Amino acid sequence: MTIHISAPPLEELPCETSSDIADHTSSSTFLSLRVPPSPTAASLDGETLRSRASSFVSNADTTRSRASSNVSTIQSRYGGEETTAEEALRPDKIDEKDFEVEDNPFAFSPGQLNKLLNPKSLAAYKALGGIRGLEKGLRSDIVTGLSANETTVDDKITFEEATLAEKREMSITRKDDAREAYPTLGQDTAALYGDRKRVYKDNRLPAKKSLSIWKLFWNAFNDRILLLLTAAAVISLALGVYEAVGQTPAPGQPQSIDWVEGLAILVAVILVVLVTGLNDYQREKQFVILNAKKEDREIKVIRSGRTTEVSVFDIMVGDVIHLEAGDLIPADGVLIAGHSLGCDESSATGESDAMKKTTGEEVWRNLEHGTASSKLDPFIISGSKVLEGVGTYLVTSVGVNSSYGKIMVSLQTETEDTPLQIKLAKMANWIGYLGSAAAGLLFVILLIRFLLGLSGNTASSAMKGSQFLNILIVAITIIVVAVPEGLPVAVTLALSFATKRMLKENNLVRKLSACETMGNATTICSDKTGTLTQNKMTVIAGTLGTQTEFAREAVLLDGEEKVLSFPKAFSLLSSSANDLLMQSIAINSTAFEGLEDGKNTFIGSKTETALLSVAKEHLGMGSVAEERAVSEVVQLYPFDSDRKCMGVVIRLSSGSYRLLVKGAAEIMLANATKQLVNSTEESLEGTSMSTSTRNQVSMKITNYARQSLRTIALLYRDFQQWPPVGVRALKDDKGMAEFEDVCQDMTFLGVFGIQDPLREEVPYAVKKCQDAGIVVRMVTGDNITTATAIATQCGIKTPEGIALEGPKFRQLSDTEMDEILPNLQVLARSSPLDKQILVSRLKHLGETVAVTGDGTNDAPALKAADIGFSMGIAGTEVAKEASSIILMDDNFSSIVKAIMWGRSVNDAVAKFLQFQITVNITAVILAFVSAVASPSSHSVLSAVQLLWVNLIMDTFAALALATDAPTEKILDRKPSPKSAPLITTNMWKMILGQAIYQLVVTFTLYFAGASILHYDVVANPLLQAQLDTMVFNTFVWMQIFNELNNRRLDNKFNIFEGVLRNNFFLAINTIMVAGQILIVFVGGTAFQITRINSAQWAICLLCAVPCLAWAVLLRCVPDRWAERVFKAVGSVYSAVYRPLATGVAIVCRPARGAFECVKRLFMRLLGKQSQQGGAAFDEEAAAGAVPSPVELARVIPPITITTMD
C-alpha cells in the first residue's frame, strides 16, 4: 500500500538510535518500522502503551489469573459459526447510505465501523478483524499513529485483506521511511488527509442552521402589534389614495394627500424591521463564533511516532489518541492499551456505573479461544468521560458518524434565555399590559367622541373612515411605543458584546447566565497552582534520604558544605540509588516528551515536568520513553486528589516487584516506617525511622513550606510477588491490589522542594476584589504552611483570618462552619469534597459564589457554584464541561476582568431600563393627553413620529448603552445581593424625576406655547403646525440628552466619563442627531412636520438641555429621602387600589363566569368539527389568552425599594 506524502523527502528526525517495532504476541508480528526510539517505549500517558499492554499477558510469575469457569461465555455468539461477518455488519435501512462509499481506498465504510457501537458488538469487532484488522483496514499504526504528511491514498485495501489471518503478518507499509517530519511552514495543510476526510469526514458536527437574514426580517415583522399597525396603515393608504384619485376636491381646496401618512407608517415599519433584523443577524453571527470557540479544545494524538496536540475538530479516523483521567472522549474507537481505564458512559448509554475497559488484543484472544464474556469491553464511546487510568485508543468514527455526534445532531436546540432575559421579558410584558390598557382607554374615549359627533359630521364616507382609522392608528402606535421589546434585546446585545470582549481577555464564556451572575459575586474560592501562581515549577531544594540536603546554591557552615549543590549531591549517589530515584521520577509519572511551540519539552503536570527536568539534568536520564520501555509495569495507581499521591508497580529483573509512590510530603512521611540512610552505597537497605529522624524530616518539610515551596516526597517498597499475600484485590480485577493495603511500611527515599512563583499581578487583583466587596479565599491541596505563606504574599491571608485544613473542616457541624466561614481565608489540604461543602455552605449563607477548579473531581463544586471557573491550560475536559467560564490563561486577574464585565452587563441593562421606562412614561402620557385634549382627536405626536421615537428607544439606545466597556472604577462599589430588584431607588428617582421634567416642558409648549410665544394660531394655522413640530423636536432632543444622563447609575455627576472611548455610543448618537435634524428639515408631510426657523430651534434646544442640569439636582437628593417618599406613595396606592380591585373582581365575577361558559361551549363546537384541531386550539387559546384588567391588577409585581447610598 502506498500513501502519498505531500512534502519532499525530509531529513530523519534527530535520535540516538533506531529501533524496530515488533509484535508482543507469540502468534503474530507487526511490520518493522524504522522510527525514533521514543515511540517504541511504553509510557503511562506518553508515546505509547503498547508494550505495557503486553505486560499483562507476560509470563511473569504473578498470582493474576482470569477465572474462566464461572464466566458466561459467548462462544456460540461470537465464535463465528452462528454469527457471520455479513450478519454482524448488515446495514440497517436508515443507515444504508453509510455503507456505500465511492472509490474507498480503505477496507471499511463508515457504516461498518458504526456497527461496533450500535450497540456495542463484539461480533462486529470480530468481523472487522479485531484491533489488528482495524489497524490495517484504516491504514494506520497503533504505535506510530497516522502519518503527519498523509494526503491521498492511491492503492486500495479490501475488506478480506484487512480481516483475514494474513493481516497479522504486517501492519502497514508506507512509501517513505516512518521517521517523517511534521508539515513544514508553507506546506498546504488543507490537503492533508484528503481521502480520509472524504470517506470518514472530520470531527465537526454540522453547525445548527442559523436563520437567514430574510427569515430574521420576517420574524421581526411578525410582531403582532406591527402587523396590526401595518394593516391599519394599508387601509389608511388605500382610503387616502381613493380620496386623492376618486374624489374631486372642493373649489379652492388642494388635492388630498392623506395617503402620505399611511405610506409613511409603512416606510417606518419597514425601517424598524430592517434595523431589528440586521441587529439580530449580527448578534447571531457573534454567538456562532463564540460557540465554535467554546467547543474547540486540544487533544493529544500520536502522528508519525510523535505525541502532539491537535484541535478536536482535526481528529481523523485512524488516529491514536491518549486518554487520562478527566478527559472528555472526542471520538469513538477501540482501546489499544491502558492501565485501570474506567469511563463514565452515562451521558451516552445511560449506564451509571464506571465501565472498566479491556484492551483490544485481550478481547481478541478471548474471542479466538471462545472465552469471551459480556464483561469484556474494548469500546471507547465519544461523549463519555475518563474517570480513572490512562491509555491509548484507535479512532473508528468521528463527527456525524460517531455515537455522540449522532445524538448531538438530533438534539440541537435553540439557545436558552438567561435568567435576566427572562426577568426582563416578564417586566416588558407587564409594562406592555399597562401601555395597552392606556391605548385601549384612549381608543374608547376617542371612539365615543367620534360616534357622538357623527350626526354633525358632514365629511364624506371616505373621510369619516379615514378619521376612524386615525384614531385606531394612534391607539396602536401607543401600544408600539409602550411595549418595551427592547429590554430583552438590550440584554442580548450586552451579553454578545461582553462575551466577545471577554474572549479577548482570556475568559471563554460557556454559559451566558454566568456573565450576569459574575457581576454580583460576593466571594471567590480560588485554587493556588497556576491561578495565583505562574505554574512554572522548578526544583530548588530537597533532601536525598534523610541526611543529604541540596539546593541551587550550596550553603557553607564552618568551612563545610552543609547544603550541597545539585551537581555534587546527585554525583554522590550510587548507581542503584540513582536508578531507584530515576524510576521514581520517570516511571511513576504521566508527563511525556513532546513538541510545544516547535521545541522538544516535557508535557504534562508541571510538578512532574519539574522532577523530570532534574532527572534529565542530574540523573543521566535519556528519553523518557526509553526509560519506560525497559520497565514492565504491572499495576498503575493514578493520582487521587483525596489521598494526594500516585503510584506504580514495576517488575524488576530479579523477578521481584517494586511499588513506587510519589505525593504530598507530610502524607508520604506518615506512610513511611523506614528510611534510606546512605544513598552512596549500592545496597538499598532501609533502616527503621526513629521518632527523632521523623521529626527532623518533618521540620525540613515545614521549612520548605514556609519558603512557599511545594513539597513532594518519594517512597518505595519491594515485594516478592504481586499482588502480595494477604492484601485485598480490586473488585473488577483480582490481579490488582488495593492501594491502601500495599502503601504501608514504605521506605522514605527523599523530598523535593518545588518553587512556583506568585504571579506578579495577583496581589493587585486580590486587592481590587477586596475593594469591590468580594472575599477571596484560597482552596488548595498544598499543606497549610505553604498555603498560608503564599496566601499572605498575595494579600488573601490577613492576621485575623483563619487557615484550616480540609480534614478538620469537613468534621465541623453546619453551625460551626457558619461561624468560621466569614473569617475563613485559607483551606489547605482540601479535597474536592471539601470544596463542594464550602461552596454549599457559602450559598446557604446567601453568598454568590465563584469557584475555580481544574480536576475531574472538581466538577461537583463547579456545578454547585453560582459561577464555575475551569482552567483552560491545566483543567481537565470534565472540569471544563462543568464550568460556566473557562480561564484561557489560568490567571486570577482574568477572574477580576470577568467580574468587571459581569457588572458592565448588569449596568448596561439597568441604564437601558432607566432610559426606556422614562421615554415610555413620557411618550404615552403625552400622546394620550394631547389626543384627548385635541378637538380633532389628533395626538401631538403622530404615528410616524412615535415610530421614530420607538426606534430610538428599542434599538439605537440599546446599542449605545450596552456597549460601554468597564473601567476599574466599576469595582469601587459593593456587589448587589441576589434579592436586589431590577429597578433600584436611585433609578426610580431618575425615571420619575426626568419624566416629570419632560412632561412639564412638553405640556407647557403644547398648551401654553402659543400664549408664551405670542402665536396667533387661529389666524395663522402654520404657527400651530410649527408649535406641534417644536413639541416633537423638544421631546426627541430631551431623550438624546437624557441618554447621556443614563450613562451613570450612581449619584456622581460626571456623565461624560469614558464617552470618547465608546465608538458605538458616539456613532449611534451621531445617527440619532442627524436623523432628527433631517426629519425636521425634510420630513414634511410624511412625519406631519413643518420646518421651523432658527429661533424655534433655539427654543427646542434650550428646553431640552436643562434636563442635564435637572439630573444633577436629582442626584443631589439622597436616596433615603426618595425611598421615604416612594414608601408613602406606595402606602396610599395600596390603601386605595386593593379595595377597588377587590370590588371590581366581585362585580365582574358573574360576567367572567358567563364568558367562560360561552368560551367552553364554543371550544366544544369547534372540537366536534376537528377532533385534533380542537384540543390544539384550546391549548393555544389558554396559552395566549389576554388577561382581563382585574386579572392584570392581581399580577402586577410589587416594587421593591433599595438604596445605593
Side-chain angles (χ1 to χ4, degrees), residues 856-877:
T856 302
N857 291 341
D858 287 329
L862 291 169
K863 280 279 191 183
D866 295 289
I867 315 101
F869 285 92
S870 63
M871 304 296 109
I873 300 173
T876 63
E877 294 306 323

Side-chain angles (χ1 to χ4, degrees), residues 591-611:
F592 57 93
E593 290 172 307
L595 288 175
E596 198 170 71
D597 298 328
K599 297 179 181 179
N600 288 316
T601 186
F602 295 114
I603 298 174
S605 163
K606 298 302 180 181
T607 303
E608 295 185 342
T609 58
L611 293 174

